[in-house]
Each structure stands twice: as C-alpha cells, then as structure tokens.
Amino acid sequence: MGDMNRQQEYVLRTLEERDIRFVRLWFTDIQGYLKSVAVVPAELEGAFQEGIGFDGSAIEGFSRIAESDTIAQPDPSTFQIFPFKSDDGALSARMFCDIAMPDGTPSWADPRQVLRRQMKAAADQGFSCYVHPEIEFFLVKELETEGYPPVPTDNGGYFDQAVTDDAPAFRAHAISALEHMGISVEFSHHENAPGQQEIDLRYADALTMADNVMTFRYLIKQVARRNGVAATFMPKPFHEHAGSAMHTHMSLFEGENNAFHDPDDELRLSGTAKSFIAGILEHAPEITAVTNQWVNSYKRITSGDEAPRAAAWGASNRSAMVRLPMYTQNKAASRRVEVRSPDSACNPYLAYSVLLAAGLKGIEEGYELPNPAEEDVSRMTRRERIAAGYKDLPSDLNSALREMERSELVADALGEHVFEFFLRNKWREWYEYQSQITPWELRNNLSF
C-alpha cells in the first residue's frame, strides 16, 4: 500500500508541477475498443480513493442493466503525459484503470483483470511472462472510403525508405511520441505492402505490454492524423497485399533466469519451452477466435503471405505459426518463441491471456513437441498439411467460434462472463457478415 501511495503522490505532484489540465482514465471493452473518461486534477485524489463510478451496462459486455454500477479504479503506475498539447497549449495525461464492482471485487468483464489472473496462474507455476510484439499497420490517405479499398500513402516495399510518400516524417514522429510516453521502440521499417509500416516494441511483462499496445494504437492514429493521413489496424484491407500481423515474441522467466534457454540443446531450447510451444500448437484452433477476432482476420490467414494456415513450428521458418528466432540463439536472455498468428486488431489483453494459458497447459501436462516444419507450410495443400500432422487453423470466423465454444481452456482463461459475451458478440458479427450481398456475388451471379 505504501508503494501505491507513493505512486499516487507522484501523480498528484506532477499534475501540479506540469500544470496538467485533465487526465484521461482509460480502459477497454471486451472487443478491445478503448474507452475514456476525463477528470480534472482536483478530482483525481478522490478517484484514487474511491474510483470513478460509471454505468457498466452502457459498455458492451460489461454488465447487465440490473448490475450497472461499476467502478473504474485508476492505476497510478500507468500514468504518462501525452506528447501532444491541446489547441490552447495545455498538457494532458492518461492512466489505465482496473474495473471493479461496488464492493471492490475485480470485474469479471475487465480484459485487464483477465490477463492479470492469467499472469497469476503463471506466477503460481514460478514463471513471469514477457512479450514483445511486432505491430504492423497501414497508412492510407483516408478512412472514409464508402466501402471501397483505401489508397495507401506510398508504393514502398520491404525496408524501403519510402521518402516520397504523403507523410515522410511519420515514423520519426511516431517513435518520438511512443518514447515520450515511456514505450520503448526496438525497430521500425516499411513492410512488404504499399503504405504498410511495422514498429517493434521492446519487451515488457504481458500486462504492461497490453497497456502499451492500446496506447500504441491511439498514438499511431493521432500521429497519422497530424501528418495529414490515416492509420488502420484492419487485418487485411487490400486483397492483393499482405495483411497486418502482430507477431508476438514470448518468453518465461524464473526469477532472473530465462526458462526457455538450455545451452545443451541443439536449438538452445529448454524442455519448458518445448512444452510451451506444444501447448500453443495443440490449442491453436480453439484460441484463434481470440487472437484473430474479426471476419476480416481470416482473409489474412487464408491468403498465405507469411500468415500461418496451420499449427506448425519451425526454426527461422516464417510460414510456421510458431517460429524460433535464431538471431541470438546463444544469448540466454534472448531465447524466445515468436507466435505469428495474432493480428494487429486483436484485444491484446485477451490474446495474451489465451496464448499464455495454452503454453502453460502444455508445460503443466508435459506436452510433447512435434517435429519442426522445414518446408513452406503456406504452399502446402490441405492434404499435405494433414499428412504432415499439422492442425489447420480455422479458415473463417464461423469455424473459429465453433472451436472456441468447445474449449474448456479458453473458457477458463477468459472467465465465464467474457467467454459468453465474446461468443455472443462475435456470432452476431458473423451473422451480419453472412447476410451481406457482396460485389463479387453480383458480378458473378446477377446474370444467371
């Protein structure tokens, strides 16, 4: 409690010293949409003590109308000042909130609490989980396209300088904004497709990183707007180009030691790491609805373009769902696995929760790691993948939800409330999508 009080005091003192006019209290709904309420500094001390009450029934999936009283409790350890000033030159800041019920118990609907519970499950096994994502997205000229494909801001390709685009200073401005808010950037570069960017964040514990991903999306959109363009994290906005992934590197530590490293193994991979990978592969079909939550997500998965189609693993194999990076294989602290299935539009709290749950299940049950994939899995036929022993990932949201419905692991990881609401919400999305008459159908069937 003493640490928390010191953190609160730091926030209150900084607000006064920096003349910050208001603080945005952030949390996310079950789909991963960012929610915000602004408070003035004079009200923040009371918010630390009592939280901010709001109508939970107005946030989709949070609570029923008869249980609508909900509390947003600011987490002072997440306090950061925004890099942008308002039109009148004033500064503002943000803090993430934990959502609680009026009696102080954590809300089962809060994605942040879902991940917190899963991290505790890891801690109970002696592990702390660290992740670092490679986040891809597109810069386009505008988002209001009336259903037509957007126009990318450049025609660059992989690692191109792309200095002739509509926002030549975008990545520099974006990295500056991220660093200003305490989010360390490892790399940034142009990706394969026109207008496609990638920014890799330096590793952090899973909860901090989920907060960072939410902040990243907000800042990227703000920086894009200030550069006269727009950013989209839609998984696959262009049928002819690769989609946007959020390749996620994961490792487990036991104290100061990387539990994934074994200096005596050929790949420097410990038994713990092998069982962790095996857990993710075994449960891949049932967690896919969470790591790839939109109808559009499956356009990326089924297209190939380095997006995994099946639950396979391999050393340096970018067509596999789980890749073992070999850049620094002898460096113990760097031994990690890269999960390539999540896309940039997932809810990071829930996605990290199910990935961690699947990996921990593999460790707990001693799953055996199958042989690595040495071929290009994306070019294999379905029959060849089955013959090789690979489980196909769901090819659309419908099949992903059916796999999830049968999953005890996902139900336990998310909790009953989030599990049931997620399914209900996503089934509605699928039925709405199914009812659409697409331009492809009209072009091919109207003359029949």
Side-chain angles (χ1 to χ4, degrees), residues 282-290 394 400 403-404 407-410:
E282 175 65 26
H283 298 285
E286 64 206 75
I287 67 175
T288 297
V290 180
E403 292 280 358
M404 179 178 165
S407 174
E408 292 184 9
L409 179 133
V410 177

Side-chain angles (χ1 to χ4, degrees), residues 170-193:
F170 169 81
R171 284 205 301 273
H173 292 164
I175 292 170
S176 177
L178 290 165
E179 297 276 0
H180 181 94
M181 294 196 69
I183 300 174
S184 297
V185 174
E186 283 200 338
F187 307 107
S188 73
H189 61 85
H190 198 285
E191 255 298 335
N192 285 312

Side-chain angles (χ1 to χ4, degrees), residues 21-26 35-41 43 52 93:
R21 303 290 178 82
F22 63 89
V23 180
R24 298 177 189 172
L25 303 183
W26 281 0
K35 304 296 180 179
S36 177
V37 57
V39 298
V40 296
E43 300 297 323
I52 298 290

Side-chain angles (χ1 to χ4, degrees), residues 140-362:
V140 296
K141 298 197 176 201
E142 58 181 336
L143 298 177
E144 300 298 327
T145 64
E146 298 183 352
Y148 290 96
V151 178
T153 56
D154 63 65
N155 290 312
Y158 191 64
F159 268 43
D160 279 357
Q161 185 66 27
V163 294
T164 58
D165 64 10
D166 292 334
F170 169 81
R171 284 205 301 273
H173 292 164
I175 292 170
S176 177
L178 290 165
E179 297 276 0
H180 181 94
M181 294 196 69
I183 300 174
S184 297
V185 174
E186 283 200 338
F187 307 107
S188 73
H189 61 85
H190 198 285
E191 255 298 335
N192 285 312
Q196 191 177 35
Q197 316 292 321
E198 176 180 308
I199 298 179
D200 301 355
L201 304 185
R202 183 172 174 78
Y203 75 91
D205 69 86
L207 183 61
T208 298
M209 186 55 72
D211 289 342
N212 287 349
V213 170
M214 296 305 302
T215 305
F216 179 97
R217 290 178 185 163
Y218 174 83
L219 288 177
I220 290 299
K221 287 180 175 289
Q222 292 295 316
V223 172
R225 183 176 61 82
R226 290 166 181 266
N227 278 264
V229 295
T232 176
F233 294 91
M234 182 179 180
K236 192 169 171 61
F238 302 100
H239 75 86
E240 70 271 32
H241 299 306
S244 291
M246 189 173 77
H247 301 153
T248 296
H249 298 247
M250 306 183 72
S251 58
L252 296 180
F253 274 70
E254 295 174 298
E256 298 295 320
N257 298 317
N258 187 346
F260 280 5
H261 183 260
D262 181 355
D264 299 324
D265 182 75
E266 180 183 3
L267 297 175
R268 308 297 189 267
L269 201 62
S270 70
T272 296
K274 292 175 181 177
S275 292
F276 187 89
I277 297 170
I280 290 178
L281 298 181
E282 175 65 26
H283 298 285
E286 64 206 75
I287 67 175
T288 297
V290 180
T291 58
N292 307 84
Q293 67 165 326
W294 304 101
V295 163
N296 181 255
S297 298
Y298 297 85
K299 306 297 177 70
R300 168 182 165 260
I301 287 177
T302 58
S303 70
D305 294 326
E306 294 192 359
R309 292 184 174 184
W313 79 280
S316 298
N317 189 342
R318 295 179 186 275
S319 71
M321 176 185 167
V322 179
R323 187 178 80 94
L324 192 62
M326 303 300 288
Y327 303 122
T328 55
Q329 59 176 317
N330 293 317
K331 186 177 179 182
S334 298
R335 184 73 292 179
R336 62 194 188 275
V337 300
E338 176 190 350
V339 186
R340 296 176 63 81
S341 52
D343 61 46
S344 298
C346 68
N347 181 330
Y349 301 100
L350 302 187
Y352 292 163
S353 294
V354 296
L355 287 170
L356 183 54
L360 291 175
K361 184 72 169 179

